[in-house]
Amino acid sequence: MNEHANPQNLSARADELEEKMMHELGEHIATKSVLFRMADGKIEMESGPALRAANPDKYFLMGADPRLPAMPKKPTLIDFFKNRFASLNHLLQSATHALKGGHSEKVVLACLLHDIGVASFIRCDHGYWGAQMIEPYVDEEVSWAVRAHQALRFFPDRSVGYEYPQMYIDNFGADYKPEPYIVRDYERAKNHKYYMTSRLICVNDIYSFDPNAKVDLDDFVDIVGRNFKQPKEGLGFDNTPSSHMWRTLMWPTRFL
Ligand SMILES: [Fe+2]
Ligand SMILES: [Fe+2]
């Protein structure tokens, strides 16, 4: 019988896996966020006292999660690229396209960072999340462009050959209409001085899904060095409005 037909089996295997992962943590208990559980249709929080009662000899995890790649004491953006960002290829391909197209370093950096919201945190409103993460460290042109790409990609600009992506019709349906706040942000962005920087993210974005393209993070280390202010304390240990976001990425399962 197909095991997927039996939800009992699946949930037993999930429990087993959870148990195994718990053991990999040694003497620590890792919990899951409410947001994580919502994906399974549950609005609930793990009970601290119940977990401690079930694991009387363990403390809650209050630092690095041993299941994840270790981060250095003073992490840089490149360390997050290597150890915390998924879908690196998409970002690197997009930035490579911009580089080959002869665009400015700000445009290349914007392309390199445009989807870090989705590559690290969450899909919903990823342009806004990504912009907030980088805002204290980059020129405002770069963070503005990352934020606005969220809205601009839903609207064509024939002056640069950007059409509404066929992929969105395939993914969201032909009758999908962006929400009013997206339309509003697009209207605001249209006449902004950095409009074209953000538009160039969209232009370099749609051509960036070739699984065979050869890309290398090393090609961008110098551009990052020149255009992303690395805090001397390490990214996340400085005191900016987004430091906590980087710390959360570093220690996503910390109890508090
Ligand atoms: Fe995006
Ligand atoms: Fe993208």
Side-chain angles (χ1 to χ4, degrees):
M1 191 180 99
N2 178 354
E3 62 175 313
H4 297 289
N6 185 344
Q8 203 75 44
N9 272 358
L10 267 186
S11 108
R13 282 185 47 196
D15 286 350
E16 217 173 88
L17 188 67
E18 200 150 326
E19 184 71 23
K20 181 175 168 279
M21 287 168 82
M22 200 76 140
H23 284 300
E24 283 168 16
L25 284 162
E27 70 270 32
H28 289 114
I29 307 166
T31 52
K32 289 173 184 161
S33 67
V34 172
L35 197 56
F36 179 97
R37 289 175 182 275
M38 279 188 200
D40 295 329
K42 296 174 190 157
I43 304 175
E44 62 181 38
M45 195 159 67
E46 286 173 308
S47 149
L51 273 174
R52 284 275 295 122
N55 302 273
D57 53 340
K58 294 182 179 180
Y59 294 116
F60 287 111
L61 187 67
M62 282 300 285
D65 188 324
R67 297 168 298 185
L68 292 172
M71 291 287 279
K73 278 201 160 45
K74 295 182 178 179
T76 64
L77 179 66
I78 299 295
D79 293 318
F80 281 94
F81 262 92
K82 288 180 177 166
N83 300 308
R84 290 294 184 275
F85 293 169
S87 305
L88 261 197
N89 245 31
H90 174 63
L91 295 171
L92 292 176
Q93 286 184 28
S94 173
T96 302
H97 256 280
L99 195 62
K100 286 187 178 153
H103 294 295
S104 71
E105 292 202 344
K106 283 177 193 164
V107 170
V108 174
L109 186 69
C111 288
L112 184 69
L113 300 176
H114 79 281
D115 278 344
I116 62 166
V118 76
S120 64
F121 263 117
I122 197 159
R123 288 188 172 275
C124 176
D125 274 342
H126 72 281
Y128 300 89
W129 280 103
Q132 198 175 354
M133 288 167 72
I134 61 174
E135 208 136 47
Y137 312 103
V138 297
D139 190 281
E140 66 163 330
E141 180 176 348
V142 176
S143 53
W144 191 94
V146 169
R147 179 173 284 112
H149 101 277
Q150 174 92 38
L152 293 195
R153 68 215 165 102
F154 290 111
F155 300 90
D157 181 342
R158 291 181 184 108
S159 78
V160 289
Y162 183 87
E163 296 290 343
Y164 184 80
Q166 178 62 39
M167 193 205 295
Y168 290 176
I169 298 174
D170 299 342
N171 286 353
F172 311 135
D175 55 355
Y176 173 73
K177 292 262 177 297
E179 291 82 357
Y181 77 92
I182 292 286
V183 178
R184 178 202 67 201
D185 286 0
Y186 164 65
E187 291 296 337
R188 276 189 194 151
K190 258 193 325 194
N191 299 313
H192 195 278
K193 60 180 171 178
Y194 298 142
Y195 167 80
M196 196 42 78
T197 310
S198 190
R199 180 52 81 186
L200 284 170
I201 292 179
C202 309
V203 170
N204 287 285
D205 203 357
I206 28 179
Y207 303 113
S208 305
F209 294 88
D210 174 4
N212 301 314
K214 287 236 178 317
V215 284
D216 194 341
L217 181 59
D218 288 345
D219 293 346
F220 301 99
V221 169
D222 288 346
I223 291 181
V224 167
R226 284 191 290 271
N227 295 277
F228 190 96
K229 290 182 210 104
Q230 167 63 28
K232 60 179 184 332
E233 305 89 337
L235 192 50
F237 297 114
D238 49 337
N239 181 25
T240 74
S242 66
S243 297
H244 63 288
M245 298 169 83
W246 297 97
R247 286 196 301 269
T248 297
L249 271 184
M250 215 168 343
W251 302 318
T253 49
R254 215 173 78 157
F255 190 61
L256 288 177

